[in-house]
Amino acid sequence: MTVNDRIFSEARKHLVGGVNSPVRAFKAVGGAPPFIRRAKGPYLWDAAGRKYLDFIGGWGPHLLGHGHPGILAAARKALARGTSYGLPTEGEVELAKALKGALPSLELVRLVNSGTEATMSAIRLARGATGRDFILKFDGCYHGHADGLLAAAGSGLATFGIPASPGVPDAFARLTLIIPYNDLPALRAIFRKSGRKIAAVIVEPVVGNMGVIEPQPGFLQALREETRRTGTILILDEVMTGFRVAWGGAQRKYGITPDLTTLGKVIGGGFPVGAYGGRADLMKRLSPEGPVYQAGTLSGNPVAVAAGIAALAALGRADYGALAETTGAFCDGIREAARDRGVRVAVNAVCGMFTVFFGAGPIVTAADARRCDTKRYARFFNTLRKRRVLFPPSQFEAAFLSFAHGPRELAFALRAIRESL
Ligand SMILES: Cc1ncc(COP(=O)(O)O)c(C=O)c1O
């Protein structure tokens, strides 16, 4: 039994499945997850002292690499002044200003503690503002674990949601309409039929949660057109893409102005911070200015906020063009290695995030992603892990690059990938 096996076995006696978030259990690939002791730059060290080149990136936050000195210093300084006050601080104003500086669609901001809190609160606000109950989401997009967002698609062009989790009442799931991502005819059809009943559309502008899938040309634009025509609130869920695919997120990259945006991950520098914001007339419907209620004891926590400000300050100086190029070149390297080995893969990538699908491309919908060979992905993952390269333990999770992944690390990873393929 290895050290990690032993800890995992102990963990399972005390924590459900041994973990505090299901994906960490590595169920899709088998075996114990590595229990992490420390991290630095692009590397993680597990309880057995093994060093891994990390492509999980904390599931998104660590765009600057682990333990960024600016973030650590800011958090330490804030910590010395106390852990939380439950009263407002100047730091919260500063973080809101930094978010607004990068995303001009944010006229007013509310800070929360997670991506889930941001998305569920944005939906409540959209419902409160429109007086409508239905929401529309896309098959395969993940927006956190709130009840109405845990609905899976049935078959057909557009279908009422069926709960994907016991505990979600049918009545809630029925309010979630689902259509395939990147499916323009389905989008036009559902808006023709039900547009004026839909409070909000929530979408990952680049999907990370069925593996990486880019919006097809015109898809986000059509979404903006239809929502505007029908008075539906457009929520871009940038919890993953915000400050990752570009400074200013996917909305800047693809030129879409949403009504509301949800953020998380990168904006907390590895601490629990989420945010939502957008049109002032909508945001002013939130308590204490308006009647829609949402609150949080630890929202805007001073240590987390200080870390977020430091992360955004560093990212404001970062070269996203270079990261996009690095991502492209790295993914070309994977494609070339697969070609040489006669393995059919489709590699989808957008600045700082990518997925290796074992199957024929193009992968543009959740159905395409589901058709790929996930068992082969699991074998690939496990062989890579033996070579000390840690990919996400599921094909349906995005792999992340950071600004700390340099040429040496990427050459090491490509060698390991070539051998593993
Ligand atoms: C696009 C998107 N929205 C929302 C969430 C939920 O965020 P959190 O896990 O911080 O609650 C995630 C998490 O992976 C996400 O990727």
Side-chain angles (χ1 to χ4, degrees), residues 68-291:
H68 182 270
I71 296 176
L72 294 187
R76 274 194 202 105
K77 211 165 140 192
L79 195 55
R81 295 190 293 258
T83 52
S84 77
Y85 319 119
L87 290 168
T89 59
E90 285 168 286
E92 293 159 75
V93 184
E94 205 182 316
L95 181 56
K97 278 163 80 175
L99 296 174
K100 286 177 62 175
L103 289 89
S105 72
L106 301 181
E107 292 171 356
L108 281 172
V109 174
R110 168 66 54 89
L111 299 181
V112 291
N113 303 288
S114 69
T116 297
E117 254 192 273
T119 55
M120 74 180 192
S121 307
I123 283 169
R124 181 180 304 146
L125 176 58
R127 284 179 164 145
T130 56
R132 304 173 184 177
D133 287 341
F134 286 99
I135 59 166
L136 175 66
K137 76 178 278 289
F138 296 90
D139 180 16
C141 284
Y142 177 70
H143 303 289
H145 62 83
D147 281 350
L149 293 168
L150 283 182
S155 57
L157 191 65
T159 170
F160 288 101
I162 45 163
S165 166
V168 176
D170 266 2
F172 287 10
R174 259 182 241 289
L175 295 176
T176 305
L177 305 171
I178 297 164
I179 58 171
Y181 191 78
N182 271 333
D183 188 335
L184 269 175
L187 178 69
R188 299 283 188 205
I190 199 155
F191 269 92
R192 243 188 338 266
K193 186 164 168 244
S194 317
R196 290 185 195 281
K197 290 191 200 145
I198 302 173
V201 179
I202 186 162
V203 65
E204 288 184 75
V206 174
V207 188
N209 287 294
M210 38 184 148
V212 172
I213 293 183
E214 222 185 331
Q216 295 294 285
F219 177 66
L220 294 174
Q221 286 76 6
L223 202 47
R224 182 62 283 190
E225 248 170 61
E226 294 291 349
T227 46
R228 199 163 270 143
R229 186 176 64 74
T230 53
T232 304
I233 308 292
L234 176 59
I235 305 171
L236 287 192
D237 181 359
E238 298 231 43
V239 167
M240 191 181 283
T241 55
F243 295 91
R244 174 165 289 277
V245 299
W247 175 257
Q251 53 196 269
R252 174 166 292 181
K253 184 175 170 64
Y254 298 100
I256 299 292
T257 306
D259 302 301
L260 294 175
T261 299
T262 53
L263 293 161
K265 300 195 191 259
V266 169
I267 67 161
F271 285 82
V273 181
Y276 62 109
R279 277 171 36 200
D281 64 307
L282 287 176
M283 293 301 290
K284 281 189 176 165
R285 289 172 188 261
L286 269 182
S287 188
E289 302 244 354

Side-chain angles (χ1 to χ4, degrees), residues 325-338:
E325 258 178 48
T326 304
T327 312
F330 183 62
C331 290
D332 281 346
I334 300 176
R335 291 184 193 103
E336 193 185 307

